Structure formats: structure tokens, C-alpha cells
Amino acid sequence: MASIKENLERVRERISRAAERSGRRPEEVLLVAVSKMVPVERIQEGIAAGLSILGENRVQEAKEKIQALGHAGASWHLVGHLQTNKVKDAIALFDLIQSVDRLSLAEELDRRARAAGKRVDVLAQINVAAEATKTGFAPDELRSALETLARLEGLRVRGLMAIPPEPQEPEDSRPYFKTMRTLLETARGWWIPSLDLDALSMGMSADFEIAIEEGATIVRVGTAIFGPRPA
Ligand SMILES: *Cc1c(COP(=O)(O)O)cnc(C)c1O
């Protein structure tokens, strides 16, 4: 099995090539290493190899890891569904909550952030393929959702995030990524005050190069860095 360092080098090279192919600079793409189910020692190995942002999908798991590793080496993003009763912990743990998928969650985040004297950075998650199994705002409710989010002073909305259906081939994801890019540009054009929409989080191990070609500014890569997760 290749080491995390070798995997990371390969992923970074692929990011660079995808960026260059599409006339972008590799530095425009933030790599979030998704470390769910990866033990602390391997995450540590990843940090030593140069990982600076880790992504987790469960608050409790992230809490244990962050307690073990500290905030010094890396920053942490939440990329999974957040239950309302875990909001307080999430605000304390994460530098970016990528998975704000409903208004009630946004309101609770706002309330808790203001109580903590903070402003929390978030992305609005979009259910881009209207999948019954996934949460997120529907594209046609995004405008009113963003108008509501913009009024919440405890939040700072930085952009959009999506998890399209699992692709058979990387190219299968391209239409969804195109939709997301268009949606972000459309949302910027609404000029909603106090929103700062520059992030587009899309692309995982199977399709991050296509995502970059279509404008991703954040890719979330797990398996290609840490190897397969236990089933
Ligand atoms: C697990 C996960 C990833 C990473 O998936 P890989 O296929 O291992 O790269 C990215 N985003 C989210 C939201 C995830 O849950």
C-alpha cells in the first residue's frame, strides 16, 4: 500500500494538472482531506506529510480526534449532516461547516454562534440531483434560503457545497458540477447583502479533477489520500 505522503503527492499533482487544463491556478483549489473513520495515527501521518485541512462527517468522532491532535497542526471542516443538538460542539470544533442543509439548522447555528460571541463560516449544501436520500436546499429554493441566511448575524455564508450521486465514471458528475457552478454564479448575481459567496465545494476521490475543471474551489478527498475505509 502506498504511503499517505505518496498518495498526497499524487493527489496534489492531479489537482495541479486539472487546474492547469482549465486555465486556473492550483492554489485556487483547497484540498480538504476527509478523515472520517481514519484513526488518529494515520491522520497525524497525513498532517506530517503536509495536510492542513481535515474533513469529518460526525461531531463526536471529530471531537475525539481534535482532542487527541489539537488544533495546531490543521483546521477542521464538518462535511456531514449536523443534528441540531450537536450545534454547540460543532461551533467550538470546526472552522467551516460545509453542510448547512436546512433553515432550522442555520437558525440554531446563528443562535449558538451569537451566544458564543462568534460568527461561524458556513456553506449552504445543495441537493443538486434532488435525491430523496440526501439533504440540502433545492436549487429553486436557494434564493429565499440565502436571503434568510444573510440576515443571521452569527453566520457568514461563504459559498455552496454539493454531494452529487455516486458516479460510475468520473464524467457522470460533470453535469451536476456544471449546475453547481451556474447556481453559484446566479446566486452571486442576486447581490444579497452581507453574503460572501466565493467557495464551491464539490468533487471527491472519484471525480475531483472534473470538479476542478468545472470550477470547484474546495475538493473533499478521502480514499485517494488515506486509502479505502473499512466497510
Ligand atoms: C466521505 C466523504 C468524502 C470523501 O469521499 P472519498 O470518496 O473517500 O474521497 C467527501 N465528502 C463527503 C461529504 C463525504 O462524506
Side-chain angles (χ1 to χ4, degrees), residues 16 25 27-28 53 66 83 85 108 112 114 129 139 174 187 193 197 202 229-230:
S16 293
R25 287 175 302 121
E27 310 84 70
E28 290 171 31
I53 310 173
I66 294 169
Q83 290 170 272
N85 64 0
E108 182 64 8
R112 293 282 188 176
R114 283 187 292 111
R174 192 183 296 275
L197 299 174
M202 58 187 193
R229 288 179 289 273

PDB file of all heavy atoms in Angstrom, residues 16 25 27-28 53 66 83 85 108 112 114 129 139 174 187 193 197 202 229-230:
ATOM      1  N   SER A  16      -3.160  19.900  -9.606  1.00  0.00           N
ATOM      2  CA  SER A  16      -2.432  20.885 -10.412  1.00  0.00           C
ATOM      3  C   SER A  16      -2.733  20.727 -11.886  1.00  0.00           C
ATOM      4  O   SER A  16      -2.998  21.705 -12.589  1.00  0.00           O
ATOM      5  CB  SER A  16      -0.916  20.739 -10.232  1.00  0.00           C
ATOM      6  OG  SER A  16      -0.572  21.084  -8.928  1.00  0.00           O
ATOM      7  N   ARG A  25      -5.246  28.461 -11.479  1.00  0.00           N
ATOM      8  CA  ARG A  25      -4.041  28.223 -10.700  1.00  0.00           C
ATOM      9  C   ARG A  25      -4.329  27.159  -9.639  1.00  0.00           C
ATOM     10  O   ARG A  25      -5.379  27.201  -9.007  1.00  0.00           O
ATOM     11  CB  ARG A  25      -3.564  29.515 -10.034  1.00  0.00           C
ATOM     12  CG  ARG A  25      -2.948  30.503 -11.037  1.00  0.00           C
ATOM     13  CD  ARG A  25      -2.578  31.822 -10.391  1.00  0.00           C
ATOM     14  NE  ARG A  25      -3.747  32.448  -9.767  1.00  0.00           N
ATOM     15  CZ  ARG A  25      -3.847  32.761  -8.482  1.00  0.00           C
ATOM     16  NH1 ARG A  25      -2.860  32.505  -7.654  1.00  0.00           N
ATOM     17  NH2 ARG A  25      -4.945  33.320  -8.021  1.00  0.00           N
ATOM     18  N   GLU A  27      -3.372  26.886  -6.729  1.00  0.00           N
ATOM     19  CA  GLU A  27      -3.590  27.476  -5.396  1.00  0.00           C
ATOM     20  C   GLU A  27      -5.040  27.901  -5.204  1.00  0.00           C
ATOM     21  O   GLU A  27      -5.452  28.198  -4.090  1.00  0.00           O
ATOM     22  CB  GLU A  27      -2.696  28.701  -5.160  1.00  0.00           C
ATOM     23  CG  GLU A  27      -1.229  28.509  -5.455  1.00  0.00           C
ATOM     24  CD  GLU A  27      -0.931  28.711  -6.937  1.00  0.00           C
ATOM     25  OE1 GLU A  27      -1.013  29.842  -7.425  1.00  0.00           O
ATOM     26  OE2 GLU A  27      -0.635  27.687  -7.607  1.00  0.00           O
ATOM     27  N   GLU A  28      -5.807  27.976  -6.288  1.00  0.00           N
ATOM     28  CA  GLU A  28      -7.213  28.356  -6.149  1.00  0.00           C
ATOM     29  C   GLU A  28      -8.058  27.213  -5.597  1.00  0.00           C
ATOM     30  O   GLU A  28      -9.230  27.401  -5.301  1.00  0.00           O
ATOM     31  CB  GLU A  28      -7.813  28.733  -7.516  1.00  0.00           C
ATOM     32  CG  GLU A  28      -7.291  30.017  -8.102  1.00  0.00           C
ATOM     33  CD  GLU A  28      -7.760  30.197  -9.549  1.00  0.00           C
ATOM     34  OE1 GLU A  28      -8.862  29.727  -9.902  1.00  0.00           O
ATOM     35  OE2 GLU A  28      -6.987  30.788 -10.329  1.00  0.00           O
ATOM     36  N   ILE A  53      -5.985  20.804   6.078  1.00  0.00           N
ATOM     37  CA  ILE A  53      -7.413  20.868   6.391  1.00  0.00           C
ATOM     38  C   ILE A  53      -7.985  19.453   6.389  1.00  0.00           C
ATOM     39  O   ILE A  53      -7.825  18.707   5.419  1.00  0.00           O
ATOM     40  CB  ILE A  53      -8.191  21.707   5.362  1.00  0.00           C
ATOM     41  CG1 ILE A  53      -7.514  23.060   5.138  1.00  0.00           C
ATOM     42  CG2 ILE A  53      -9.631  21.917   5.830  1.00  0.00           C
ATOM     43  CD1 ILE A  53      -8.134  23.855   4.014  1.00  0.00           C
ATOM     44  N   ILE A  66      -9.925  15.687  17.490  1.00  0.00           N
ATOM     45  CA  ILE A  66      -9.362  17.028  17.696  1.00  0.00           C
ATOM     46  C   ILE A  66      -8.781  17.127  19.102  1.00  0.00           C
ATOM     47  O   ILE A  66      -7.738  17.735  19.319  1.00  0.00           O
ATOM     48  CB  ILE A  66     -10.419  18.116  17.413  1.00  0.00           C
ATOM     49  CG1 ILE A  66     -10.794  18.090  15.923  1.00  0.00           C
ATOM     50  CG2 ILE A  66      -9.909  19.498  17.808  1.00  0.00           C
ATOM     51  CD1 ILE A  66     -12.003  18.928  15.549  1.00  0.00           C
ATOM     52  N   GLN A  83     -26.783  17.302  13.360  1.00  0.00           N
ATOM     53  CA  GLN A  83     -28.012  17.314  14.160  1.00  0.00           C
ATOM     54  C   GLN A  83     -28.051  18.584  14.992  1.00  0.00           C
ATOM     55  O   GLN A  83     -27.031  19.055  15.480  1.00  0.00           O
ATOM     56  CB  GLN A  83     -28.025  16.113  15.099  1.00  0.00           C
ATOM     57  CG  GLN A  83     -28.220  14.784  14.405  1.00  0.00           C
ATOM     58  CD  GLN A  83     -27.974  13.655  15.394  1.00  0.00           C
ATOM     59  OE1 GLN A  83     -26.846  13.198  15.556  1.00  0.00           O
ATOM     60  NE2 GLN A  83     -29.031  13.247  16.083  1.00  0.00           N
ATOM     61  N   ASN A  85     -28.919  19.137  17.938  1.00  0.00           N
ATOM     62  CA  ASN A  85     -28.413  19.058  19.316  1.00  0.00           C
ATOM     63  C   ASN A  85     -26.887  18.962  19.411  1.00  0.00           C
ATOM     64  O   ASN A  85     -26.337  18.890  20.500  1.00  0.00           O
ATOM     65  CB  ASN A  85     -29.086  17.900  20.075  1.00  0.00           C
ATOM     66  CG  ASN A  85     -28.757  16.555  19.468  1.00  0.00           C
ATOM     67  OD1 ASN A  85     -28.035  16.451  18.472  1.00  0.00           O
ATOM     68  ND2 ASN A  85     -29.281  15.497  20.047  1.00  0.00           N
ATOM     69  N   GLU A 108     -30.323  27.625  14.408  1.00  0.00           N
ATOM     70  CA  GLU A 108     -29.697  27.160  15.648  1.00  0.00           C
ATOM     71  C   GLU A 108     -28.205  27.526  15.666  1.00  0.00           C
ATOM     72  O   GLU A 108     -27.668  27.936  16.700  1.00  0.00           O
ATOM     73  CB  GLU A 108     -29.908  25.651  15.800  1.00  0.00           C
ATOM     74  CG  GLU A 108     -29.344  25.045  17.066  1.00  0.00           C
ATOM     75  CD  GLU A 108     -29.985  25.549  18.369  1.00  0.00           C
ATOM     76  OE1 GLU A 108     -31.003  26.278  18.310  1.00  0.00           O
ATOM     77  OE2 GLU A 108     -29.431  25.231  19.444  1.00  0.00           O
ATOM     78  N   ARG A 112     -26.517  29.908  18.582  1.00  0.00           N
ATOM     79  CA  ARG A 112     -25.381  29.442  19.385  1.00  0.00           C
ATOM     80  C   ARG A 112     -24.115  30.239  19.088  1.00  0.00           C
ATOM     81  O   ARG A 112     -23.301  30.468  19.977  1.00  0.00           O
ATOM     82  CB  ARG A 112     -25.118  27.958  19.114  1.00  0.00           C
ATOM     83  CG  ARG A 112     -26.208  27.042  19.597  1.00  0.00           C
ATOM     84  CD  ARG A 112     -26.107  26.842  21.086  1.00  0.00           C
ATOM     85  NE  ARG A 112     -27.030  25.821  21.551  1.00  0.00           N
ATOM     86  CZ  ARG A 112     -27.090  25.394  22.807  1.00  0.00           C
ATOM     87  NH1 ARG A 112     -26.285  25.920  23.722  1.00  0.00           N
ATOM     88  NH2 ARG A 112     -27.944  24.467  23.150  1.00  0.00           N
ATOM     89  N   ARG A 114     -23.919  33.392  18.122  1.00  0.00           N
ATOM     90  CA  ARG A 114     -24.024  34.711  18.760  1.00  0.00           C
ATOM     91  C   ARG A 114     -23.838  34.595  20.262  1.00  0.00           C
ATOM     92  O   ARG A 114     -23.174  35.421  20.881  1.00  0.00           O
ATOM     93  CB  ARG A 114     -25.342  35.388  18.380  1.00  0.00           C
ATOM     94  CG  ARG A 114     -25.280  35.962  16.949  1.00  0.00           C
ATOM     95  CD  ARG A 114     -26.488  36.782  16.566  1.00  0.00           C
ATOM     96  NE  ARG A 114     -27.688  35.970  16.437  1.00  0.00           N
ATOM     97  CZ  ARG A 114     -28.724  36.018  17.266  1.00  0.00           C
ATOM     98  NH1 ARG A 114     -28.729  36.844  18.283  1.00  0.00           N
ATOM     99  NH2 ARG A 114     -29.765  35.235  17.067  1.00  0.00           N
ATOM    100  N   ALA A 129     -29.076  16.859  -7.193  1.00  0.00           N
ATOM    101  CA  ALA A 129     -29.776  15.899  -8.047  1.00  0.00           C
ATOM    102  C   ALA A 129     -31.153  15.557  -7.473  1.00  0.00           C
ATOM    103  O   ALA A 129     -31.763  14.557  -7.874  1.00  0.00           O
ATOM    104  CB  ALA A 129     -28.940  14.637  -8.223  1.00  0.00           C
ATOM    105  N   PRO A 139     -32.296  23.633  -5.564  1.00  0.00           N
ATOM    106  CA  PRO A 139     -31.856  24.821  -6.315  1.00  0.00           C
ATOM    107  C   PRO A 139     -32.938  25.909  -6.397  1.00  0.00           C
ATOM    108  O   PRO A 139     -32.623  27.083  -6.260  1.00  0.00           O
ATOM    109  CB  PRO A 139     -31.519  24.252  -7.696  1.00  0.00           C
ATOM    110  CG  PRO A 139     -31.055  22.860  -7.407  1.00  0.00           C
ATOM    111  CD  PRO A 139     -31.908  22.386  -6.260  1.00  0.00           C
ATOM    112  N   ARG A 174     -20.034  15.459 -14.156  1.00  0.00           N
ATOM    113  CA  ARG A 174     -19.823  16.776 -14.766  1.00  0.00           C
ATOM    114  C   ARG A 174     -21.107  17.612 -14.860  1.00  0.00           C
ATOM    115  O   ARG A 174     -21.087  18.795 -14.509  1.00  0.00           O
ATOM    116  CB  ARG A 174     -19.144  16.646 -16.135  1.00  0.00           C
ATOM    117  CG  ARG A 174     -18.639  17.996 -16.667  1.00  0.00           C
ATOM    118  CD  ARG A 174     -18.018  17.902 -18.064  1.00  0.00           C
ATOM    119  NE  ARG A 174     -16.822  17.095 -18.152  1.00  0.00           N
ATOM    120  CZ  ARG A 174     -15.580  17.539 -17.889  1.00  0.00           C
ATOM    121  NH1 ARG A 174     -15.377  18.787 -17.509  1.00  0.00           N
ATOM    122  NH2 ARG A 174     -14.552  16.728 -18.013  1.00  0.00           N
ATOM    123  N   ALA A 187     -26.345  32.973  -7.946  1.00  0.00           N
ATOM    124  CA  ALA A 187     -26.537  33.467  -6.574  1.00  0.00           C
ATOM    125  C   ALA A 187     -25.714  34.731  -6.330  1.00  0.00           C
ATOM    126  O   ALA A 187     -26.172  35.672  -5.677  1.00  0.00           O
ATOM    127  CB  ALA A 187     -26.167  32.378  -5.570  1.00  0.00           C
ATOM    128  N   PRO A 193     -27.083  41.308   0.283  1.00  0.00           N
ATOM    129  CA  PRO A 193     -26.118  41.971   1.171  1.00  0.00           C
ATOM    130  C   PRO A 193     -25.549  41.002   2.210  1.00  0.00           C
ATOM    131  O   PRO A 193     -26.256  40.114   2.674  1.00  0.00           O
ATOM    132  CB  PRO A 193     -26.948  43.054   1.878  1.00  0.00           C
ATOM    133  CG  PRO A 193     -28.172  43.223   1.047  1.00  0.00           C
ATOM    134  CD  PRO A 193     -28.410  41.933   0.333  1.00  0.00           C
ATOM    135  N   LEU A 197     -20.056  34.981  -1.335  1.00  0.00           N
ATOM    136  CA  LEU A 197     -20.142  33.674  -1.997  1.00  0.00           C
ATOM    137  C   LEU A 197     -18.958  33.440  -2.920  1.00  0.00           C
ATOM    138  O   LEU A 197     -19.024  33.774  -4.099  1.00  0.00           O
ATOM    139  CB  LEU A 197     -21.443  33.589  -2.804  1.00  0.00           C
ATOM    140  CG  LEU A 197     -22.748  33.712  -2.009  1.00  0.00           C
ATOM    141  CD1 LEU A 197     -23.939  33.745  -2.957  1.00  0.00           C
ATOM    142  CD2 LEU A 197     -22.878  32.543  -1.035  1.00  0.00           C
ATOM    143  N   MET A 202     -17.008  20.852  -4.132  1.00  0.00           N
ATOM    144  CA  MET A 202     -17.539  19.692  -4.862  1.00  0.00           C
ATOM    145  C   MET A 202     -16.367  18.890  -5.404  1.00  0.00           C
ATOM    146  O   MET A 202     -15.319  19.438  -5.696  1.00  0.00           O
ATOM    147  CB  MET A 202     -18.490  20.154  -5.973  1.00  0.00           C
ATOM    148  CG  MET A 202     -17.886  21.102  -6.988  1.00  0.00           C
ATOM    149  SD  MET A 202     -19.138  21.747  -8.132  1.00  0.00           S
ATOM    150  CE  MET A 202     -18.078  22.470  -9.404  1.00  0.00           C
ATOM    151  N   ARG A 229     -11.703   2.971   3.229  1.00  0.00           N
ATOM    152  CA  ARG A 229     -12.218   2.913   4.601  1.00  0.00           C
ATOM    153  C   ARG A 229     -12.781   1.524   4.868  1.00  0.00           C
ATOM    154  O   ARG A 229     -13.222   0.847   3.939  1.00  0.00           O
ATOM    155  CB  ARG A 229     -13.356   3.934   4.771  1.00  0.00           C
ATOM    156  CG  ARG A 229     -12.909   5.374   4.788  1.00  0.00           C
ATOM    157  CD  ARG A 229     -14.092   6.311   4.937  1.00  0.00           C
ATOM    158  NE  ARG A 229     -14.921   6.368   3.745  1.00  0.00           N
ATOM    159  CZ  ARG A 229     -14.711   7.190   2.721  1.00  0.00           C
ATOM    160  NH1 ARG A 229     -13.686   8.037   2.743  1.00  0.00           N
ATOM    161  NH2 ARG A 229     -15.495   7.177   1.681  1.00  0.00           N
ATOM    162  N   PRO A 230     -12.804   1.104   6.137  1.00  0.00           N
ATOM    163  CA  PRO A 230     -13.465  -0.173   6.455  1.00  0.00           C
ATOM    164  C   PRO A 230     -14.931  -0.116   6.043  1.00  0.00           C
ATOM    165  O   PRO A 230     -15.556   0.943   6.149  1.00  0.00           O
ATOM    166  CB  PRO A 230     -13.326  -0.285   7.976  1.00  0.00           C
ATOM    167  CG  PRO A 230     -12.901   1.070   8.465  1.00  0.00           C
ATOM    168  CD  PRO A 230     -12.273   1.785   7.324  1.00  0.00           C
TER     169      PRO A 230
END
